[in-house]
């Protein structure tokens, strides 16, 4: 059974940084795509950043220049370096893995940006 587990969320002041990570277990294949989404209270889930196995990366306009996504293919692990955090970045951040025609989601990790 494939599982994704996020870690590294938390509470940070505006302008601060966090680096959540997501690790996959229960799979022997490498995901074609690993990505981060987020969902703020009362809002729909939205794309944040994604990286494919070949290394191509895409970011949402709202996080370009502040967030950086990276992955360790051998470990099926993806990281999200979040800098210059703003209160509007507050959300539950979800990890997504795409492979063999299936989409997998983690349970989410809370990120709160507040003074």
């Amino acid at each position: 059974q494939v599982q994704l587990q996020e870690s590294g969320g938390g509470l940070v002041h505006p302008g601060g940084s966090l680096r959540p990570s997501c690790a996959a277990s229960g799979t022997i294949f490498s995901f074609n795509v690993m990505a981060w989404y987020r969902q703020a209270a009362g809002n729909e889930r939205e794309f944040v950043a994604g990286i494919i196995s070949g290394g191509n990366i895409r970011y949402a306009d709202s996080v370009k220049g502040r967030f950086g996504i990276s992955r360790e293919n051998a470990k099926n692990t993806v990281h999200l370096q979040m800098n210059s955090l703003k209160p509007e970045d507050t959300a539950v951040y979800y990890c997504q893995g795409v492979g063999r025609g299936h989409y997998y989601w983690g349970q989410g990790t809370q990120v709160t940006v507040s003074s």
Side-chain angles (χ1 to χ4, degrees):
Q1 182 178 0
V2 177
Q3 292 185 326
L4 296 175
Q5 181 64 57
E6 301 95 339
S7 62
L11 172 65
V12 64
H13 293 309
S17 298
L18 283 174
R19 188 174 184 259
S21 297
C22 171
S25 61
T27 175
I28 60 172
F29 64 88
S30 179
F31 292 112
N32 296 328
V33 179
M34 296 195 80
W36 288 92
Y37 285 72
R38 66 186 181 186
Q39 187 168 16
N43 291 354
E44 295 185 351
R45 191 172 298 189
E46 64 177 5
F47 171 80
V48 175
I51 181 168
I52 67 173
S53 57
N56 286 343
I57 291 174
R58 189 164 65 92
Y59 295 102
D61 288 343
S62 58
V63 307
K64 281 181 181 177
R66 300 188 298 121
F67 289 12
I69 188 171
S70 61
R71 66 183 289 178
E72 300 174 63
N73 288 334
K75 298 181 180 180
N76 262 345
T77 298
V78 65
H79 309 281
L80 186 67
Q81 179 66 47
M82 306 190 297
N83 301 323
S84 303
L85 283 161
K86 306 174 181 180
E88 51 264 42
D89 294 318
T90 295
V92 178
Y93 282 70
Y94 295 92
C95 173
Q96 181 198 61
V98 183
R100 296 192 175 181
H102 295 281
Y103 293 76
Y104 303 92
W105 292 94
Q107 293 298 306
T109 185
Q110 177 69 46
V111 170
T112 302
V113 185
S114 175
S115 55

